Amino acid sequence: MRINITALLVCAAALFTAQAPASQDISLSPDETQWLALHNNIRLGSDSAWPPMDYRDENGAPSGMCAEYFRYAAEKLGMEIIIGPDRGWAETLNSLKEKELDAITCLAKNDTRSEFITYSSIVTDIPQVIITNDEYPYISGLRDLSGKRVAMVEGYATASILMERYPQLDPIIVNTPLDALKAVATGQADAFVGVLAVSVHLIQNKNLANLKVAAPAELPPLELRFGFRKDWPQMAALFSKAMATMTPQEHTAIAQHWVSVKYNPVIDYSL
């Protein structure tokens, strides 16, 4: 039995041409208006190694789908964004913990982070998959990787989930998703579990031609939220309120502007 899985990145310009209706105006209470007036700029950090979801452009500014969602909400609230330094993901999280940053463009919620982060409502969710070398034998899911070397990115929510739920995996800790994919491509790891859109983007743009999307990860979709310093629950609520004004058409336009992934597992019973 063989499973053929195709993943295709398509530019949204070819997919979305309809004019989206205008979003709703945001209505703030007097208390919200007063709080916002006292906190009208925000120091923003991001993950620079997670394209096309989150990365830094040639000028060092946060870019990608997450950054566009964040800018949408900030503009709705009339806020000024101050771009924080690019320090790598683990250090960016620590900067938010130490209140050197006020917010992070997007991240998944977990217990460890919740000790120092307050979250917005869910902005978007994205599927996770298993990446292997082209020559790696057929696998149907994580249970087939017992005892195998699996690349995991330090500080990522997926790494924490895998180590907690699948202790039989042999973790290979790396700094970025690209490092993880290179480890698989060069045989230093047997597999990488990551976000489909990011993995396919990096495989295509970094010429990692010997890698494939091998199977679904059998994990829930990664739910992404804006993250704020723990003592700013008001800001998290305001950004949630701003995002609630976004129309479905606007959501689609932003998502398809950055990535559209078609993921079609097809089982071939002829072998």
Side-chain angles (χ1 to χ4, degrees):
M1 182 176 67
R2 182 179 64 196
I3 185 168
N4 296 322
I5 301 179
T6 61
L8 176 64
L9 254 62
V10 183
C11 177
L15 294 174
F16 190 86
T17 56
Q19 181 68 37
S23 58
Q24 306 168 29
D25 291 331
I26 187 169
S27 177
L28 301 180
S29 70
D31 286 345
E32 288 173 328
T33 301
Q34 182 180 16
W35 195 89
L36 195 56
L38 296 173
H39 305 82
N40 60 359
N41 56 53
I42 191 163
R43 297 169 298 173
L44 180 64
S46 65
D47 186 349
S48 62
W50 212 44
M53 303 301 298
D54 207 12
Y55 65 100
R56 297 287 178 122
D57 65 17
E58 62 274 9
N59 298 314
S63 190
M65 186 191 297
C66 293
E68 186 163 351
Y69 277 127
F70 195 95
R71 282 195 299 270
Y72 173 94
E75 288 172 5
K76 278 284 182 180
L77 296 167
M79 298 199 64
E80 177 188 358
I81 296 175
I82 300 171
I83 299 170
D86 179 12
R87 294 176 173 169
W89 183 239
E91 186 56 35
T92 295
L93 286 173
N94 189 63
S95 294
L96 185 61
K97 182 178 182 179
E98 298 299 325
K99 300 183 176 63
E100 296 168 359
L101 293 172
D102 302 314
I104 289 178
T105 44
C106 68
L107 75 173
K109 186 177 182 179
N110 65 27
D111 291 342
T112 300
R113 294 173 179 176
S114 295
E115 294 176 2
F116 60 93
I117 294 176
T118 185
Y119 303 91
S120 72
S121 56
I122 297 170
V123 176
T124 189
D125 59 56
I126 43 180
Q128 302 184 79
V129 294
I130 302 171
I131 305 294
T132 66
N133 189 288
D134 271 337
E135 302 301 319
Y136 199 82
Y138 165 78
I139 60 172
S140 61
L142 286 166
R143 62 184 176 275
D144 295 327
L145 293 176
S146 179
K148 302 300 183 182
R149 301 164 301 165
V150 177
M152 303 181 190
V153 181
E154 182 182 10
Y156 273 28
T158 300
S160 300
I161 293 170
L162 290 174
M163 287 189 279
E164 178 182 343
R165 298 185 187 178
Y166 297 91
Q168 69 273 26
L169 302 178
D170 179 12
I172 305 295
I173 305 302
V174 298
N175 292 322
T176 69
L178 180 57
D179 291 338
L181 292 169
K182 286 181 176 179
V184 177
T186 58
Q188 299 173 63
D190 297 302
F192 169 57
V193 179
V195 167
L196 175 62
V198 174
S199 298
V200 173
H201 177 93
L202 290 172
I203 288 170
Q204 291 185 341
N205 286 275
K206 299 301 181 179
N207 197 30
L208 298 171
N210 67 331
L211 299 183
K212 66 181 179 182
V213 180
E218 301 173 315
L219 296 174
L222 205 60
E223 296 178 337
L224 300 180
R225 310 165 189 260
F226 305 138
F228 301 89
R229 44 192 280 186
K230 190 70 172 180
D231 60 341
W232 276 19
Q234 301 94 328
M235 191 66 80
L238 284 165
F239 268 71
S240 297
K241 199 168 188 177
M243 286 301 298
T245 69
M246 181 177 281
T247 66
Q249 293 87 347
E250 286 173 316
H251 268 291
T252 300
I254 289 175
Q256 290 187 341
H257 175 75
W258 292 103
V259 60
S260 179
V261 176
K262 296 179 180 179
Y263 179 54
N264 302 308
V266 179
I267 298 177
D268 183 355
Y269 292 98
S270 63
L271 297 181

